[in-house]
Amino acid sequence: MGRTMYFPYKTMRQLSLPVIDPIPGYRFTVFLNDVIMGFQKVSGISRTVETESYHEGGLNTSIHIFPKFCGSERILRMEKGACRGTEHPFIMAGERLEGPLNLIVMDNLGIPLKSYLFTGLLLKSWEVGELSADQNSILMDRFEVSYEDFDVMKV
């Protein structure tokens, strides 16, 4: 008796997803109320949900998973080179920022590709970077801003 061989690559259809280059992460601009705020690094853009698992009585083969309320604070971390003077609005920790913060990511030609709009902003902390006599580096300011929500906007 002969056996028939089935090869999965012959029977599976290929997905027809558009091939798009990945977005570079080195060109971005931050705006606060239409004022350009230049930063070297921005991190903390995330959405997570805590879950709770529930074991149903008499059924030991599976569990049910339910979403919980958002229980953790969302913090946007930003770094930039320190400038002279105290004009930067992010040094006043504990203050609410009026208006949204808009982060626009661009391609290598400066064309906007993605935009994030943060709302409900509270200045959490301001920290002056490390001072070292051994290194010839730029003095950095680090800021943490708590945000209530963010949206990914169409560009």
Coordinates of all heavy atoms in Angstrom, one line a residue, residues 51-98:
T51 N -5.0 41.2 34.2 CA -6.1 40.1 34.0 C -6.2 39.3 35.3 O -5.3 39.3 36.2 CB -5.7 39.2 32.9 OG1 -4.4 38.6 33.2 CG2 -5.7 39.9 31.6
E52 N -7.3 38.7 35.4 CA -7.6 37.8 36.6 C -8.0 36.5 36.0 O -8.9 36.4 35.1 CB -8.7 38.4 37.4 CG -9.1 37.6 38.6 CD -10.1 38.3 39.5 OE1 -10.5 39.5 39.2 OE2 -10.7 37.6 40.4
S53 N -7.4 35.4 36.5 CA -7.8 34.1 36.1 C -8.8 33.5 37.1 O -8.7 33.7 38.3 CB -6.6 33.2 35.9 OG -5.8 33.1 37.1
Y54 N -9.7 32.7 36.5 CA -10.8 32.2 37.3 C -10.9 30.7 37.0 O -11.0 30.3 35.8 CB -12.1 32.9 37.0 CG -13.3 32.2 37.7 CD1 -13.5 32.5 39.1 CD2 -14.2 31.5 37.0 CE1 -14.6 31.9 39.7 CE2 -15.3 30.9 37.6 CZ -15.5 31.1 39.0 OH -16.6 30.6 39.6
H55 N -10.8 29.9 38.0 CA -10.9 28.4 37.8 C -12.4 28.0 38.1 O -12.8 28.2 39.2 CB -10.0 27.6 38.8 CG -8.5 27.9 38.5 ND1 -7.8 27.2 37.6 CD2 -7.7 28.8 39.1 CE1 -6.6 27.7 37.6 NE2 -6.5 28.6 38.5
E56 N -13.0 27.5 37.1 CA -14.4 27.1 37.3 C -14.5 25.8 38.0 O -13.7 24.8 37.8 CB -15.0 26.9 35.9 CG -16.5 26.7 35.9 CD -17.1 26.7 34.5 OE1 -16.4 27.0 33.6 OE2 -18.3 26.3 34.4
G57 N -15.4 25.7 39.0 CA -15.5 24.5 39.8 C -15.9 23.3 39.0 O -16.7 23.3 38.2
G58 N -15.2 22.2 39.3 CA -15.5 20.9 38.6 C -14.8 20.8 37.3 O -14.9 19.7 36.6
L59 N -14.2 21.8 36.8 CA -13.6 21.8 35.5 C -12.1 22.2 35.6 O -11.7 23.3 35.8 CB -14.2 22.8 34.5 CG -13.8 22.8 33.1 CD1 -14.1 21.4 32.4 CD2 -14.5 23.9 32.3
N60 N -11.2 21.1 35.6 CA -9.8 21.3 35.9 C -9.0 21.5 34.6 O -7.8 21.6 34.7 CB -9.3 20.2 36.7 CG -9.9 20.2 38.1 OD1 -10.3 21.2 38.6 ND2 -10.0 19.0 38.7
T61 N -9.6 21.5 33.5 CA -8.8 21.5 32.2 C -8.6 22.8 31.7 O -7.7 23.0 30.8 CB -9.5 20.6 31.2 OG1 -10.8 21.2 31.0 CG2 -9.6 19.2 31.6
S62 N -9.3 23.8 32.1 CA -9.1 25.2 31.6 C -9.4 26.2 32.6 O -10.0 25.9 33.7 CB -10.0 25.4 30.3 OG -11.3 25.3 30.7
I63 N -9.1 27.5 32.3 CA -9.4 28.6 33.2 C -10.1 29.7 32.3 O -9.9 29.7 31.1 CB -8.2 29.2 33.9 CG1 -7.1 29.7 32.8 CG2 -7.5 28.2 34.8 CD1 -6.0 30.4 33.4
H64 N -10.7 30.6 33.0 CA -11.3 31.7 32.3 C -10.5 32.9 32.7 O -10.0 33.1 33.8 CB -12.8 32.0 32.7 CG -13.7 30.8 32.4 ND1 -14.2 30.6 31.2 CD2 -14.2 29.9 33.2 CE1 -14.9 29.6 31.2 NE2 -15.0 29.1 32.4
I65 N -10.3 33.8 31.7 CA -9.4 35.0 32.0 C -10.3 36.3 31.8 O -11.0 36.4 30.7 CB -8.2 35.1 31.1 CG1 -7.4 33.8 31.4 CG2 -7.4 36.3 31.2 CD1 -6.1 33.7 30.5
F66 N -10.3 37.2 32.8 CA -11.1 38.4 32.7 C -10.2 39.6 32.9 O -9.3 39.6 33.7 CB -12.2 38.4 33.9 CG -13.1 37.2 33.8 CD1 -13.0 36.1 34.6 CD2 -14.2 37.3 32.9 CE1 -13.9 35.1 34.5 CE2 -15.1 36.2 32.8 CZ -14.9 35.1 33.6
P67 N -10.5 40.7 32.1 CA -9.7 41.9 32.3 C -10.1 42.6 33.6 O -11.3 42.6 34.0 CB -10.1 42.7 31.1 CG -11.4 42.2 30.7 CD -11.5 40.8 31.1
K68 N -9.1 43.2 34.2 CA -9.4 44.0 35.4 C -9.3 45.5 35.1 O -8.9 45.9 34.0 CB -8.3 43.7 36.5 CG -8.4 42.3 37.1 CD -7.1 42.0 37.9 CE -7.3 42.2 39.3 NZ -6.2 41.8 40.1
F69 N -9.6 46.3 36.0 CA -9.4 47.8 35.8 C -7.9 48.1 35.6 O -7.1 47.4 36.2 CB -10.0 48.6 36.9 CG -11.5 48.5 37.0 CD1 -12.2 47.8 37.9 CD2 -12.3 49.1 36.0 CE1 -13.5 47.7 38.0 CE2 -13.7 49.1 36.0 CZ -14.3 48.4 37.0
C70 N -7.6 49.2 35.0 CA -6.3 49.6 34.8 C -5.7 50.0 36.2 O -6.3 50.9 36.9 CB -6.2 50.8 33.9 SG -4.5 51.5 33.7
G71 N -4.7 49.3 36.7 CA -4.3 49.5 38.0 C -2.9 50.1 38.1 O -2.4 50.4 39.2
S72 N -2.2 50.3 37.0 CA -0.9 50.9 37.1 C -0.8 52.2 36.4 O -1.6 52.5 35.5 CB 0.1 49.9 36.4 OG -0.2 49.8 35.1
E73 N 0.1 53.0 36.9 CA 0.3 54.4 36.4 C 1.0 54.3 35.0 O 1.9 53.5 34.9 CB 1.1 55.2 37.4 CG 1.3 56.6 37.1 CD 2.1 57.3 38.2 OE1 2.7 56.6 39.0 OE2 2.1 58.5 38.2
R74 N 0.7 55.2 34.1 CA 1.3 55.2 32.8 C 2.3 56.4 32.9 O 1.9 57.6 33.1 CB 0.3 55.4 31.7 CG -0.6 54.2 31.6 CD -1.5 54.4 30.5 NE -2.8 53.9 30.9 CZ -4.0 54.2 30.3 NH1 -4.0 55.0 29.3 NH2 -5.1 53.7 30.8
I75 N 3.6 56.2 32.6 CA 4.6 57.2 32.7 C 5.3 57.3 31.4 O 5.9 56.4 30.9 CB 5.5 56.9 33.9 CG1 4.8 56.8 35.2 CG2 6.6 58.0 33.9 CD1 5.6 56.3 36.3
L76 N 5.4 58.6 30.9 CA 6.2 58.9 29.7 C 7.5 59.4 30.2 O 7.6 60.4 31.0 CB 5.4 59.9 28.9 CG 5.8 60.2 27.5 CD1 5.7 58.9 26.7 CD2 5.0 61.3 26.9
R77 N 8.6 58.8 29.8 CA 10.0 59.2 30.2 C 10.7 59.9 29.0 O 10.7 59.4 27.9 CB 10.8 58.1 30.6 CG 10.3 57.5 31.9 CD 11.0 56.1 32.2 NE 10.2 55.4 33.2 CZ 9.2 54.6 32.9 NH1 8.7 54.5 31.7 NH2 8.5 54.0 33.8
M78 N 11.2 61.1 29.3 CA 11.8 61.9 28.2 C 13.2 62.4 28.7 O 13.4 62.8 29.8 CB 10.9 63.1 27.8 CG 9.6 62.6 27.2 SD 8.5 63.9 26.9 CE 7.7 64.1 28.5
E79 N 14.2 62.5 27.7 CA 15.5 63.0 28.0 C 15.9 64.0 27.0 O 15.6 63.8 25.8 CB 16.5 61.9 28.0 CG 16.5 60.9 29.1 CD 17.7 59.9 29.1 OE1 18.7 60.2 28.4 OE2 17.5 58.9 29.7
K80 N 16.6 65.0 27.4 CA 17.1 66.0 26.5 C 18.3 66.7 27.1 O 18.5 66.6 28.3 CB 16.1 67.1 26.2 CG 15.7 68.0 27.3 CD 14.7 69.1 26.9 CE 15.4 70.1 26.2 NZ 14.7 70.9 25.3
G81 N 19.1 67.3 26.3 CA 20.3 68.0 26.8 C 19.9 69.2 27.6 O 18.9 69.9 27.2
A82 N 20.5 69.5 28.7 CA 20.1 70.6 29.6 C 20.5 71.9 28.9 O 21.5 72.0 28.2 CB 20.9 70.5 30.9
C83 N 19.6 72.9 29.0 CA 19.8 74.2 28.4 C 20.0 75.2 29.6 O 19.6 75.0 30.7 CB 18.6 74.6 27.6 SG 18.4 73.5 26.2
R84 N 20.5 76.4 29.2 CA 20.7 77.5 30.2 C 19.3 78.0 30.6 O 18.4 78.0 29.8 CB 21.5 78.6 29.6 CG 22.9 78.2 29.4 CD 23.8 79.3 28.9 NE 25.1 78.8 28.7 CZ 26.0 79.4 27.8 NH1 25.6 80.4 27.1 NH2 27.2 78.9 27.7
G85 N 19.2 78.5 31.8 CA 18.0 79.1 32.3 C 17.0 78.1 32.8 O 17.3 76.9 32.8
T86 N 15.9 78.5 33.3 CA 14.9 77.6 33.8 C 13.5 77.8 33.1 O 12.5 77.6 33.6 CB 14.6 78.0 35.3 OG1 14.2 79.3 35.4 CG2 15.9 77.7 36.1
E87 N 13.6 78.1 31.8 CA 12.4 78.3 31.0 C 11.6 77.1 30.7 O 10.5 77.1 30.2 CB 12.7 79.1 29.7 CG 13.3 80.5 29.9 CD 14.8 80.5 30.2 OE1 15.5 79.6 29.7 OE2 15.2 81.4 30.9
H88 N 12.2 75.9 30.8 CA 11.6 74.7 30.4 C 10.4 74.4 31.3 O 10.5 74.4 32.5 CB 12.5 73.5 30.4 CG 12.1 72.4 29.5 ND1 11.1 71.5 29.9 CD2 12.5 72.0 28.3 CE1 11.0 70.6 28.9 NE2 11.8 70.9 28.0
P89 N 9.2 74.2 30.7 CA 8.0 74.0 31.6 C 8.0 72.6 32.3 O 7.1 72.4 33.2 CB 6.8 74.0 30.5 CG 7.4 73.6 29.3 CD 8.9 74.1 29.3
F90 N 8.9 71.7 32.0 CA 8.8 70.4 32.6 C 9.6 70.3 33.9 O 9.7 69.3 34.5 CB 9.4 69.3 31.7 CG 8.4 69.0 30.6 CD1 7.3 69.7 30.3 CD2 8.6 67.8 29.8 CE1 6.4 69.4 29.3 CE2 7.7 67.5 28.8 CZ 6.6 68.2 28.6
I91 N 10.2 71.4 34.4 CA 10.9 71.3 35.7 C 10.0 71.5 36.9 O 10.5 71.4 38.0 CB 12.1 72.4 35.7 CG1 11.6 73.8 35.7 CG2 13.1 72.1 34.6 CD1 12.7 74.8 35.9
M92 N 8.8 71.8 36.7 CA 7.9 72.1 37.8 C 7.1 70.8 38.2 O 6.0 70.6 37.8 CB 6.9 73.2 37.5 CG 7.5 74.5 37.1 SD 8.6 75.2 38.4 CE 7.3 75.6 39.6
A93 N 7.8 69.9 38.9 CA 7.2 68.6 39.3 C 6.0 68.8 40.1 O 5.9 69.7 41.0 CB 8.2 67.8 40.0
G94 N 4.9 68.0 39.9 CA 3.7 68.1 40.6 C 2.6 69.0 40.0 O 1.5 69.0 40.4
E95 N 3.0 69.7 38.9 CA 2.0 70.5 38.2 C 1.3 69.8 37.1 O 1.9 68.9 36.4 CB 2.8 71.7 37.6 CG 3.5 72.5 38.6 CD 3.0 73.9 38.9 OE1 2.2 74.3 38.0 OE2 3.3 74.5 39.9
R96 N 0.1 70.2 36.8 CA -0.6 69.7 35.6 C -0.2 70.5 34.4 O -0.1 71.7 34.5 CB -2.1 69.8 35.8 CG -2.7 68.6 36.6 CD -4.0 68.2 36.1 NE -4.4 67.0 36.8 CZ -4.2 65.8 36.4 NH1 -3.7 65.5 35.3 NH2 -4.6 64.8 37.2
L97 N -0.1 69.8 33.3 CA 0.2 70.5 32.0 C -1.2 70.7 31.3 O -2.0 69.8 31.2 CB 1.1 69.7 31.1 CG 2.5 69.5 31.6 CD1 3.3 68.6 30.7 CD2 3.2 70.9 31.6
E98 N -1.4 71.9 30.9 CA -2.6 72.2 30.1 C -2.4 71.8 28.7 O -1.4 72.0 28.1 CB -2.9 73.7 30.2 CG -3.2 74.2 31.6 CD -4.5 73.6 32.2 OE1 -5.4 73.4 31.4 OE2 -4.5 73.3 33.4

